[in-house]
Every structure is written in structure tokens, then in C-alpha cells.
Amino acid sequence: MKSIYSILIIPVVLLQLSWSSSKDEGSSGAFSFDPNKKIQVYTTAENSNLRLSLSNDFISKVSPESKKPTVSITLDDAKTFQTFLGIGGAITDASAEVFAKLPLEKQQEFLTAYYDKNKGIGYSLARTNIHSCDFSSQSYTYVQEGDKDLKTFNIDHDRKYRIPLLKKAIQAAGGKLTLFVSPWSPPAFMKDNNDILHGGVLLPEFAQSWANYYAKFIKEYEKEGIPIWGLTIQNEPMASQRWESCIYTPEAERDFLKNFLGPTLANQGLGSKKIIIWDHNRGEMLEKRAQLVFSDPEASKYAWGIGFHWYETWNGGPPKFESVAKVYEAFPTKNLIFTEGCVERFDTAKYQFWGNAERYGLNMINDFNNGTVGWTDWNVLLDQNGGPNHVGNFCFAPIHADTNSGELIFTPMYYYIGHFSKFIRPGAKRISQKLSDTSLLSTSFKNSDGKKVTVVMNQSDKEVVYELVSDSQKNTITIPAHAMQTLVY
């Protein structure tokens, strides 16, 4: 265990290096802009000390003949697509419980790392659970069993860990965090299996009571000073899990939205909250759910958009990015948002496994290029066991904490997410780009301040020289093997 720990603290050291001035790279600081240069390059690369590091040495200072680019990225910022909402992660019970065990200075380091847009990676989006989920230490609800009228509704459970962390995250993010909430299951008495776990369905006689439950949760959280931007109807509505879960067919979700949840929020002064349907995997079911709900005018008027996860690859198949594009094209007035993704099957030996970071990069680039407006990681923080989780469903997070030593463990996933979240800011517009070769992946946005951002990923074993063409300007840049770069210009 001691030898493992000595390896795990390396990311923290690298983080500190990347946030300080770097004499080796001749930069003015990893997260600062050089006003004397028209383009800034930030790099994270495997087998190097580069972690979100300002690395303008990768811009070619020699003639194109001696370092000829093999790939070109050509931008047309006159053609724009979706408006960027934000990037963030879920503040679950598990994350909050682990956070509370950290020393105060490590708590501050964590908050700065995620939510400070200058010193950290500037998370602007968050998700949290309505009562318990698998990443809670135990199952619980906010009412006593059988209380259909919700007279016993009480969120005291959340005041111990989750609400304090949410408040600190909002403060660290500059006073604003776009927060949406999701239930994993209604209380047991509202379901046909009389169990908060193992799937089951919402009984018709409790539909109104369950809709009222969302409204009460939102109001109670907002009384605590935590604004709720939106909500999903049900986490993974087609999965019967050994943890909190509930099944909704497409017709059941449509009808609950149309007849109960939408009208209830509207009638209780919560009509501005953004309602997100589906909240499950990409693929054919994403397309069918969108088609059924969005094609019904009475249901569609309550739906801001559709959320999706990345676990459709569970059976070994590839990510189904094309389904996101199809929904984007079919329903241009609706929004697509990635609501959850994580690396499953926790293993301490893989804290620094680079393939985990590349999975994030692959998914984020493709999701944005197919019309996604926001991207939400799963737990922002887990412990050295990949939990707590009350059913043993342990997973990875971008940052882990060793609750025995109090140390934070930064994984490569954290830095890869940061290549997007730090530089692409809410309100940005995705802009058109063309890649001449598939050896690189890339997406481009234009921020509201006029700054353009291009994120480039190299998954190959060799460095690649490429050319960025924008506004009649050309820059030749080298990206190392297994690296991510963000270009700001």
C-alpha cells in the first residue's frame, strides 16, 4: 500500500506545478494568457509533466518545409451551432461525505481545483440527487413511509453533508452554478414492488403525490439558498438496478410529464425550471424517447430537452454518437445534455490509466460536435475505495481522496475535462470546423468575449504536426502522443 500511495500523490504535485509559473516552458504561468502572442497552447500529455500547462513551444518557429503539418483544422466561425451551457459533475451524497472527511486546507484545494475558473478548471454545471441513489451510504427518502400528502417532508438528511458542499461549490464558482436535480426512485410505498430498489413502476394513484415531491424538494433547496435550474424526470428509466431505480416506458414518462409533473411545477410557480427527459443511454432508445415525447405538443411544451449517459457500451459495442446527431437534427428547438458518465469497476492500480482520460476526451468531443449543450460527469469526488456506495457499485472519479491520509488524488480525467471546462465558457457558440484527417479529434467554440477555443486530442502513439487555419491565419502546432491540447486565440 505504501508503494501505491507514493505513486498516487504525483498528480497533486503536477497540479501544483501546472498552476505555478513554469520557467522550463518560458511561460508566464500555466493558466495565464500571454498578451504578446496571438495564440496560446495548453497541453496535457502522457509520460510528461504537462498538465493543463501553457506550452507555446509547441507552436512551430521554423519554416513549414522543415516541419510540415500532416493534418489541417480549418475553422469557419461564420457558421455556428448550439449555445454552450456548461460542464460540471454530480455532487452526490458520496462526494459530500468524502469531502467532509478532508482537512480544511484540502477541502479548499478541492473547491479551487474544480470551481475556480482562474486557478482551477471552472466547473459551471452540477447535478445532485433527490433523496438517495447508489452513491449514498444508505437508502433514505424525505417522508415517512405511507405519507401520500407529504406532511412529513423534511430534508434534514441533506443538511449534514450535501447542502454544505453545494453551498461551498456555488461560492467557489463565483456565486453561480447551474444545478439540475434527479430522482433515482420514488419512495417504496409509491411503487408497485413496494421497494425503493430493484426497478418497479410508479403506481397511478401516487402520480400527483410524486409530482408534488419534486416541487417540495426544489422549494426546500431554494430556501437553503441553492437555486435549482432544472430537473430530470427519472435517472435511467429503462434500468431495473439493485440500487434505487424505477421503470418508465416512453408512454409512461410522456404522460407523467404531460399530466402531472409539468402542470404541477407550472401551478406552483416553478414553470421556469428546465425539465429534461430520458436521462439514460445514447442509442435507438434515445431517439425513440425524443420522438415520442417531443412529437406530443402537450408534453413537449414542458420539456426543455433530453439527457443521456454513455453506458450503452456495456455490452462491448461502440459509443452511439450518431443517435445524438439524429435527435439534434430532428428537434432543433430542443436541447441535448450529457447527464452522467464515469469509468466503472474501480481499481486503485488504474488511478493514472491514460485510457480513462481518453475515454472522456473521445466522448466530450463527439458529443459537442453532435449538438450537445452541456456535459455532466458523475461523482466529483470519491474515496480510495471508489465509494461510498451502499450496493458496492464502486467507480472512478476525476478526483479521489484518501480519507486515511487526507490526500487528494488527481487523475488524468480531471485534466482532460479541464481542457474543455476551463476555456469554453457558458454562452459560447460551437463553430464550424473541418479536419483533413481522422488521426486527430477536435471541436471548436467561440466565447462571448470573441475568443475562440479549439480542443485537439491525439490518441496515437506518435506526435502529430497539424495546422490550424482561422481568419486567414495559419499556425503550425505539434501535439505529443496521447495528449490533449486547448488552443485559445
Side-chain angles (χ1 to χ4, degrees):
M1 188 67 189
K2 183 177 180 181
S3 61
I4 294 175
Y5 174 69
S6 66
I7 295 172
L8 300 184
I9 64 171
I10 292 174
V12 182
V13 176
L14 293 175
L15 179 75
Q16 293 167 345
L17 286 173
S18 70
W19 284 358
S20 62
S21 61
S22 175
K23 294 180 181 179
D24 293 339
E25 293 169 11
S27 70
S28 57
F31 284 171
S32 61
F33 292 103
D34 184 348
N36 298 316
K37 292 185 179 292
K38 292 182 179 180
I39 185 169
Q40 303 292 314
V41 178
Y42 297 84
T43 305
T44 296
E46 188 180 24
N47 301 320
S48 78
N49 68 347
L50 298 173
R51 298 292 183 271
L52 275 170
S53 302
L54 183 60
S55 46
N56 285 340
D57 286 348
F58 286 122
I59 303 171
S60 180
K61 299 179 177 67
V62 295
S63 64
E65 287 75 23
S66 61
K67 202 167 190 180
K68 187 177 180 180
T70 59
V71 182
S72 64
I73 304 172
T74 304
L75 275 69
D76 178 7
D77 61 357
K79 185 176 182 181
T80 62
F81 302 94
Q82 75 271 25
T83 300
F84 183 74
L85 176 67
I87 291 171
I91 296 176
T92 58
D93 288 315
S95 296
E97 290 166 26
V98 174
F99 176 84
K101 295 178 181 179
L102 290 171
L104 289 178
E105 66 273 14
K106 290 298 179 179
Q107 289 185 353
Q108 188 56 55
E109 181 183 346
F110 167 85
L111 292 167
T112 298
Y114 269 130
Y115 299 103
D116 190 305
K117 65 181 180 181
N118 295 313
K119 297 179 181 179
I121 62 172
Y123 268 11
S124 55
L125 186 62
R127 182 192 192 204
T128 200
N129 45 294
I130 298 177
H131 63 232
S132 63
C133 64
D134 53 328
F135 279 92
S136 304
S137 290
Q138 68 283 320
S139 297
Y140 66 93
T141 71
Y142 302 123
V143 295
Q144 293 178 9
E145 191 67 12
D147 180 14
K148 179 178 181 179
D149 297 326
L150 313 184
K151 293 178 180 178
T152 59
F153 194 94
N154 189 301
I155 61 168
D156 279 350
H157 174 280
D158 298 2
R159 290 191 174 98
K160 186 173 182 180
Y161 296 119
R162 188 144 50 99
I163 286 175
L165 176 53
L166 281 162
K167 288 181 177 180
K168 289 176 181 177
I170 292 168
Q171 183 181 16
K176 182 183 179 183
L177 201 57
T178 299
L179 174 66
F180 67 97
V181 301
S182 304
W184 267 243
S185 172
F189 71 88
M190 295 186 184
K191 297 168 65 181
D192 69 339
N193 64 345
N194 196 34
D195 186 356
I196 195 172
L197 316 177
H198 307 112
V201 300
L202 176 68
L203 292 166
E205 59 264 35
F206 292 106
Q208 185 57 58
S209 180
W210 182 226
N212 293 339
Y213 200 102
Y214 295 77
K216 277 190 172 290
F217 177 84
I218 292 169
K219 289 179 178 180
E220 289 300 309
Y221 261 60
E222 293 196 333
K223 284 180 187 177
E224 294 288 326
I226 300 172
I228 305 298
W229 168 85
L231 64 155
T232 72
I233 297 173
Q234 169 64 42
N235 177 74
E236 299 184 348
M238 290 303 289
S240 179
Q241 306 281 24
R242 65 183 187 274
W243 54 85
E244 288 81 345
S245 46
C246 184
I247 300 297
Y248 285 81
T249 64
E251 293 79 10
E253 184 175 27
R254 176 199 63 195
D255 293 345
F256 179 66
L257 171 63
K258 176 168 62 175
N259 299 324
F260 296 98
L261 184 59
T264 296
L265 295 182
N267 293 337
Q268 296 199 31
L270 301 172
S272 64
K273 305 306 179 187
K274 314 302 184 189
I275 301 178
I276 300 164
I277 67 168
W278 187 227
D279 196 10
H280 206 161
N281 294 333
R282 304 185 196 96
E284 187 178 348
M285 287 195 293
L286 171 74
E287 299 171 50
K288 288 183 176 179
R289 190 73 51 138
Q291 181 65 38
L292 186 81
V293 178
F294 295 157
S295 296
D296 184 317
E298 290 304 306
S300 183
K301 69 181 181 181
Y302 296 115
W304 172 84
I306 187 166
F308 61 94
H309 300 181
W310 73 13
Y311 309 113
E312 74 274 11
T313 59
W314 67 271
N315 60 355
K320 297 180 179 178
F321 300 121
E322 68 280 358
S323 65
V324 179
K326 289 177 181 178
V327 173
Y328 177 71
E329 292 164 4
F331 300 99
T333 63
K334 298 300 183 183
N335 298 279
L336 285 142
I337 180 171
F338 183 86
T339 47
E340 183 187 316
C342 73
V343 175
E344 312 92 328
R345 294 178 290 278
F346 178 76
D347 179 355
T348 55
K350 291 189 174 182
Y351 272 131
Q352 303 307 319
F353 177 59
W354 211 258
N356 290 346
E358 292 184 334
R359 180 178 178 184
Y360 274 79
L362 172 72
N363 279 268
M364 295 180 80
I365 288 172
N366 279 283
D367 284 339
F368 287 131
N369 284 344
N370 285 305
T372 301
V373 302
W375 213 90
T376 324
D377 185 34
W378 192 202
N379 302 276
V380 292
L381 179 68
L382 293 172
D383 65 18
Q384 68 274 18
N385 301 310
N389 183 293
H390 70 84
V391 291
N393 182 34
F394 302 122
C395 299
F396 282 96
I399 301 177
H400 285 262
D402 185 325
T403 56
N404 296 317
S405 67
E407 290 298 322
L408 292 174
I409 302 158
F410 288 78
T411 75
M413 298 180 288
Y414 166 81
Y415 301 101
Y416 267 47
I417 296 170
H419 274 275
F420 301 86
S421 62
K422 180 170 181 62
F423 303 102
I424 307 167
R425 302 305 301 164
K429 288 273 191 182
R430 184 168 66 88
I431 56 180
S432 177
Q433 65 166 38
K434 291 183 180 180
L435 267 73
S436 65
D437 191 280
T438 58
S439 59
L440 297 179
L441 292 173
S442 178
T443 190
S444 295
F445 284 80
K446 187 174 184 178
N447 284 318
S448 55
D449 64 0
K451 285 279 189 182
K452 284 177 280 191
V453 177
T454 295
V455 181
V456 183
M457 186 170 79
N458 178 13
Q459 298 179 88
S460 75
D461 295 331
K462 297 180 179 180
E463 69 173 29
V464 176
V465 180
Y466 64 98
E467 188 174 61
L468 180 72
V469 182
S470 175
D471 297 332
S472 301
Q473 296 182 19
K474 292 183 180 181
N475 289 278
T476 300
I477 301 161
T478 300
I479 183 170
H482 295 288
M484 180 80 85
Q485 284 182 333
T486 300
L487 317 177
V488 183
Y489 47 101

